[in-house]
Amino acid sequence: MLLTALFVLILLSAFFSMTETALMAANRHRLRHLAKQGSRRAITILWLLDRTDRLLSLVLIANTAINALATALVTAIAIAAFGNHQRVITAATACVAALLIVFAEIVPKVIGATYPERISLFTGLVLKPLMRLAKPLIWFVNIFVSGVLRILRIKVGARAAEQRISPEELRSIVLDGGSFIPQKHKSILLNLFDLEKISVEDVMTPRAQVEALNLDTPINEILHQLATCYHNKLPVFEGEINRVAGILHVRRAISLFNHEHEVTHDDIRALLAAPYYVPVDTDVFTQLAYFQENHERLGIVVDEYGEVQGLVTLEDIIEEMIGEFTTSSPGNSEGFAWDADRTCLLEGTTTLRDINKRLGLQFPLDGPKTLNGLLLEYLQDIPEANVAMKIAGCIIEIVQVQNQSIRMVKLIG
């Protein structure tokens, strides 16, 4: 009979130890999700976790009382069997300590930490009624606990603010998602976290690659450019690109080809929309919000002196989040990858961020944005062709130099 009682006490102690660990290790986000789906057990667990001080008081009071009873019971069994001797009491104490440590502490807590949600959802149904029954005792104990915490200047509710997850912590959760999050979804989420770390300068089309209309050129050349252009919108400038006249919707310009009278520069000026300017150091996430607020899809990127640095579109930002989905324009280096012999031919205007992302390299991103800029900074001179160097563990061979810039390079991995 006494042995059966001892076995029951150890089981109860194991139950409370396992419950304590499982509740503290339970994923609250998963529990909230289950609660939104109507799980009463999840709602009960969240109710308990919102009262952590009372919950811990209940578990620890029960565990301590049960362990004390188990110790007294083992001592009584030992004295009844072997007599009231100091050695018997010492041996009984050692035995009960070993039993409690192994079967009532370590093993249950390991199980609780391994299956926290599964165990919590089961044990919560027991703990909630117990908490209500033991409410007077818990209240009495918490009077002393609150006094000690007040002396130590610890606020029980202070952890609420600390439990807010930072972007870096969310990033770690996504990275640790493993097979629970599809790789494509994981990539999109990680890109979203990076939007506040990069500026429009990192995703814009550089000034040298911007296709634009110059109103100082003959009208027949402008019409030919409109007939063969690749884009839906074109910046329009007069004389030089810093004198922006506006943005032309190419579809509106189609009507010019049907005019009976001769088309003039003024006809094109009449179709221009006001340009939308974007500071070069604006972070991409903020710019996405600006595009939405201003109902714009294209912005002209300018530096602190008002000089045009490039062009950024809504599509550029979306592609930064979810990957490329539009057709690449002719003559660019998009879609590049390592060849079978571990080489890659690139234009000098290719951005370092794209190279790092696609080829798995580690070129520095805190300086120049393009491969041409990186090489010019590294060499401190405009090099000749057939010059090679090694940067960030990658061999870079300059293939073609044109107009004071590096036009083509070969990467050797």
Side-chain angles (χ1 to χ4, degrees), residues 139-172:
W139 173 80
F140 181 74
V141 172
N142 279 351
I143 290 177
F144 298 97
V145 173
S146 300
V148 174
L149 292 177
R150 198 173 293 112
I151 293 172
L152 297 176
R153 296 182 180 179
I154 297 175
K155 295 182 180 179
V156 177
R159 284 195 53 83
E162 297 177 8
Q163 288 177 350
R164 294 179 182 175
I165 299 177
S166 68
E168 289 304 319
E169 290 170 334
L170 275 174
R171 184 186 182 91
S172 299

Side-chain angles (χ1 to χ4, degrees), residues 166 182-183 370 383:
S166 68
Q183 185 59 40
T370 64

Side-chain angles (χ1 to χ4, degrees), residues 284-359:
V284 173
F285 190 83
T286 301
Q287 186 54 49
L288 180 62
Y290 287 163
F291 273 144
Q292 184 179 27
E293 292 170 6
N294 294 284
H295 305 287
E296 296 284 351
R297 299 176 64 91
L298 180 148
I300 297 173
V301 182
V302 294
D303 63 12
E304 58 183 317
Y305 303 107
E307 300 283 328
V308 173
Q309 300 299 306
L311 200 73
V312 64
T313 65
L314 180 62
E315 287 76 15
D316 292 331
I317 298 177
I318 294 175
E319 288 186 355
E320 188 65 28
M321 291 188 292
I322 67 174
E324 292 170 13
F325 60 91
T326 56
T327 304
S328 302
S329 58
N332 64 12
S333 301
E334 295 180 359
F336 56 86
W338 291 114
D339 295 335
D341 55 352
R342 192 65 180 175
T343 62
C344 184
L345 195 65
L346 293 175
E347 294 183 1
T349 54
T350 309
T351 63
L352 298 176
R353 291 188 74 253
D354 282 343
I355 295 173
N356 288 349
K357 186 183 299 184
R358 296 171 183 272
L359 302 183

Side-chain angles (χ1 to χ4, degrees), residues 83-385:
N84 189 4
H85 301 290
Q86 184 64 40
R87 291 181 180 179
V88 172
I89 296 174
T90 303
T93 303
C95 289
V96 74
L99 287 172
L100 292 175
I101 289 172
V102 175
F103 297 105
E105 292 293 334
I106 297 177
V107 173
K109 288 187 175 182
V110 169
I111 296 173
T114 306
Y115 307 103
E117 288 82 23
R118 190 182 305 177
I119 292 172
S120 297
L121 292 172
F122 169 73
T123 57
L125 299 176
V126 179
L127 289 179
K128 188 173 182 179
L130 284 177
M131 183 179 289
R132 287 175 175 170
L133 288 174
K135 188 174 181 179
L137 179 60
I138 294 172
W139 173 80
F140 181 74
V141 172
N142 279 351
I143 290 177
F144 298 97
V145 173
S146 300
V148 174
L149 292 177
R150 198 173 293 112
I151 293 172
L152 297 176
R153 296 182 180 179
I154 297 175
K155 295 182 180 179
V156 177
R159 284 195 53 83
E162 297 177 8
Q163 288 177 350
R164 294 179 182 175
I165 299 177
S166 68
E168 289 304 319
E169 290 170 334
L170 275 174
R171 184 186 182 91
S172 299
I173 291 173
V174 173
L175 287 171
D176 294 339
S179 58
F180 295 103
I181 304 177
Q183 185 59 40
K184 181 63 177 178
H185 297 172
K186 184 185 294 186
S187 176
I188 292 173
L189 290 171
L190 293 175
N191 288 339
L192 283 172
F193 295 138
D194 290 336
L195 289 188
E196 292 184 344
K197 297 181 180 179
I198 60 176
S199 65
V200 293
E201 187 179 12
D202 295 306
V203 301
M204 71 179 184
T205 301
R207 170 175 171 162
Q209 297 179 10
V210 173
E211 182 181 1
L213 289 178
N214 185 0
L215 290 177
D216 282 1
T217 57
I219 192 65
N220 60 328
E221 293 183 16
I222 294 176
L223 293 176
H224 179 266
Q225 186 176 355
L226 285 174
T228 58
C229 78
Y230 180 79
H231 304 285
N232 295 324
K233 295 181 180 180
L234 291 177
V236 179
F237 62 93
E238 299 188 42
E240 59 102 12
I241 198 168
N242 288 315
R243 296 174 58 193
V244 179
I247 304 297
L248 177 65
H249 291 252
V250 177
R251 289 182 181 178
R252 294 180 183 176
I254 293 177
S255 60
L256 297 177
F257 293 92
N258 300 323
H259 277 193
E260 297 179 358
H261 68 275
E262 184 178 353
V263 179
T264 65
H265 291 87
D266 289 334
D267 293 327
I268 294 178
R269 285 191 181 93
L271 298 176
L272 298 182
Y276 173 68
Y277 294 101
V278 177
V280 70
D281 57 351
T282 306
D283 69 76
V284 173
F285 190 83
T286 301
Q287 186 54 49
L288 180 62
Y290 287 163
F291 273 144
Q292 184 179 27
E293 292 170 6
N294 294 284
H295 305 287
E296 296 284 351
R297 299 176 64 91
L298 180 148
I300 297 173
V301 182
V302 294
D303 63 12
E304 58 183 317
Y305 303 107
E307 300 283 328
V308 173
Q309 300 299 306
L311 200 73
V312 64
T313 65
L314 180 62
E315 287 76 15
D316 292 331
I317 298 177
I318 294 175
E319 288 186 355
E320 188 65 28
M321 291 188 292
I322 67 174
E324 292 170 13
F325 60 91
T326 56
T327 304
S328 302
S329 58
N332 64 12
S333 301
E334 295 180 359
F336 56 86
W338 291 114
D339 295 335
D341 55 352
R342 192 65 180 175
T343 62
C344 184
L345 195 65
L346 293 175
E347 294 183 1
T349 54
T350 309
T351 63
L352 298 176
R353 291 188 74 253
D354 282 343
I355 295 173
N356 288 349
K357 186 183 299 184
R358 296 171 183 272
L359 302 183
L361 298 176
Q362 298 294 328
F363 288 138
L365 302 177
D366 53 351
K369 304 299 181 181
T370 64
L371 192 55
N372 173 64
L374 176 67
L375 295 175
L376 293 180
E377 181 184 69
Y378 184 84
L379 295 171
Q380 302 269 315
D381 192 11
I382 299 175
E384 300 291 336

Side-chain angles (χ1 to χ4, degrees), residues 363 378 388-396 412:
F363 288 138
Y378 184 84
M389 66 213 72
K390 190 172 185 179
I391 302 177
C394 179
I395 298 174
I396 306 174
I412 304 174

